[in-house]
């Protein structure tokens, strides 16, 4: 919605400051969770995927913003024609500013520095260009309202924009600006009869020059809105009386008229910029919802379920999802019975989860499904689960040994050094209510050495209310961890429960 500066957004109800401190951590999480692969396969072009990932890498931290974005997406999903219509409108809208600047830059300026008449013609041409775009931009209120009026919205985002457009359309001042802009769309200064009000100081130097009226000599006057507007400005500013300029002083007349027209030009420019800024950027925000719609369609195409999660404040310290599964599996072509879902519950009484099991038994898929659900929930998106209640996390940290592609096979020393550096980085940047996902960390170390090192690390996390999920081969950890505080689980690699993660 619009904030104090009346700039509208469909992604944020309340502006959130981007947290650059954790930007790299979220990039690593997206990479480790293989979300970049899934989204590149989902999106029609790389640019769209990159923008969607950019939003994921800046998770929302206000529950109010999450619900705001969820509601906007649900309105879009329930009205399939809405998004294409808005895309067409705002793609044109976002190019207006560049076109306006280009046309102003192309105004012929030869001789401006040596002739008052040339300067006047130059200023008048700039006013004409601005008038054209003022009228065009204001016209978008009518076009946007025409689109939104077709729908009934539940989201505050769309309803606020719809109401604002209706309010502006009924505002007589807006129509007056359109009328004034229309007054300067054609001809040259010679086609008008201007009245100028000028003020001078004690030294007979020009203090102010304001346009009082501009009568188009090519048409019959009909209740001049420009004059009414300028009269009100004069009264408001307590402007000085008019000064007549004799015909034998054309340079002085051109000078005064140029100053007055330039003042009108700056006023109209300010109004145009203010109105334009209201909706600028919505075209880019809609790209996020374009991808969100593709994501939801992908789930339906593969006959899988998804839900809009209940997102709660970080202090609730919960992740509770039923029949959760890994979105990446859909991009790999799996569907239906080929995808095994799991239940995950971590509440305030749980410090974390340890998972052991054979290779290719579903451990990493389980970890990935949890991480993706957390990111998607904090982006205002549905999650791949039957139901979910997820609290805000102030940081998401990952260390996936399988994703360390830069290490060569057999380079165990290099891999271990990289893992140590990664864990040290996480510990340095750890925040309250963070989520830490570890996949086979320290798998290249000696058994006892790795167990002691990672146990010390895991023991620190609960002090900050951070949650951890650790897929590991270090089974001695199961004897060290308190089963009242840490969930001890194992994957099944055969039988009817294959790929299920079950408690010991």
């Amino acid at each position: 919605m619009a904030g104090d500066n009346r700039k509208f957004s469909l992604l944020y109800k309340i502006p959130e400051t981007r947290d650059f401190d954790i930007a790299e951590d979220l990039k690593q999480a997206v990479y480790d969770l293989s979300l970049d692969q899934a989204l590149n396969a989902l999106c029609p072009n790389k640019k769209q995927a990159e923008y969607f990932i950019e939003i994921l890498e800046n998770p929302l931290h206000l529950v109010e913003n999450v619900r705001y974005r969820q509601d906007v997406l649900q309105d879009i999903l329930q009205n399939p024609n809405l998004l294409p219509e808005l895309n067409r409108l705002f793609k044109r809208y976002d190019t207006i500013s560049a076109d306006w600047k280009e046309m102003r830059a192309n105004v012929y300026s030869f001789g401006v520095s040596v002739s008052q008449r040339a300067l006047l013609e130059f200023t008048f041409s700039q006013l004409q260009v601005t008038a054209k775009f003022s009228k065009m931009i204001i016209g978008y209120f009518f076009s946007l309202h025409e689109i939104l009026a077709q729908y009934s919205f539940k989201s505050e985002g769309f309803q606020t924009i719809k109401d604002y457009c209706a309010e502006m359309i009924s505002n007589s001042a807006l129509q007056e600006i359109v009328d004034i802009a229309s007054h300067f769309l054609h001809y040259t200064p010679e086609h008008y009869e201007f009245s100028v009000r000028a003020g001078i100081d004690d030294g007979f130097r020009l203090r102010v020059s304001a346009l009082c009226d501009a009568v188009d000599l090519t048409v019959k006057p009909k209740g001049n809105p420009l004059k009414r507007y300028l009269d009100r400005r004069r009264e408001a500013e307590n402007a000085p009386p008019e000064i007549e300029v004799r015909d034998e002083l054309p340079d002085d007349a051109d000078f005064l008229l140029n100053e007055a027209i330039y003042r009108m030009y700056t006023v109209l420019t300010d109004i145009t910029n203010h109105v334009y800024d209201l909706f600028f950027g919505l075209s880019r925000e809609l790209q996020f919802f374009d991808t969100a719609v593709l994501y939801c369609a992908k789930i339906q195409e593969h006959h899988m379920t998804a839900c809009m999660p209940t997102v709660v404040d970080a202090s609730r310290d919960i992740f509770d999802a039923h029949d959760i599964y890994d979105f990446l599996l859909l991009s790999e072509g799996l569907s239906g019975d080929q995808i095994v879902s799991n239940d995950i519950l971590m509440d305030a009484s749980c410090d974390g989860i340890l998972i052991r099991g054979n290779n290719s038994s579903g451990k990493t898929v389980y970890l990935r499904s949890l991480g993706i659900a957390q990111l998607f929930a904090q982006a205002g998106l549905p999650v791949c689960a039957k139901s979910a209640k997820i609290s805000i996390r102030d940081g998401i940290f990952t260390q996936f040994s399988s994703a360390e592609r830069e290490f060569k096979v057999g380079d165990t020393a290099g891999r271990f050094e990289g893992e140590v550096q990664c864990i040290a980085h996480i510990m340095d940047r750890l925040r309250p209510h963070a989520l830490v996902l570890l996949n086979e960390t320290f798998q290249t170390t000696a058994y006892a050495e790795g167990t002691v090192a990672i146990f010390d690390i895991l023991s620190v996390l609960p002090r900050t209310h951070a949650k951890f999920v650790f897929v590991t081969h270090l089974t001695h950890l199961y004897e060290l961890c308190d089963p009242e505080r840490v969930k001890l689980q194992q994957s099944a690699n055969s039988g009817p429960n294959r790929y299920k993660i079950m408690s010991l």
Side-chain angles (χ1 to χ4, degrees), residues 47-60:
K47 187 176 180 181
Q48 184 173 328
E50 288 176 347
Y51 180 65
F52 191 79
I53 290 172
E54 181 184 325
I55 300 297
L56 294 179
E57 290 170 353
N58 293 275
L60 298 171

Side-chain angles (χ1 to χ4, degrees), residues 86-96 283 287 290:
L86 291 178
N87 274 325
R88 284 191 293 270
L89 181 72
F90 283 115
K91 281 178 182 177
R92 295 196 305 270
Y93 187 88
D94 276 10
T95 64
I96 291 176
S283 176
Q287 292 180 29
D290 284 333

Side-chain angles (χ1 to χ4, degrees), residues 104-115 118-119 121-123 125-126:
R104 282 190 295 178
N106 289 337
V107 171
Y108 185 65
S109 59
F110 179 75
V112 164
S113 61
V114 296
S115 166
L119 180 59
E121 291 175 350
F122 171 76
T123 304
S125 296
Q126 293 277 29

Side-chain angles (χ1 to χ4, degrees), residues 393-397 430-436 464-468:
R393 291 287 163 190
D394 292 333
I396 301 173
F397 302 92
L430 195 63
R431 299 175 172 213
H433 299 292
L435 177 65
V436 182
T464 64
H465 299 285
K467 289 279 190 286
F468 69 84

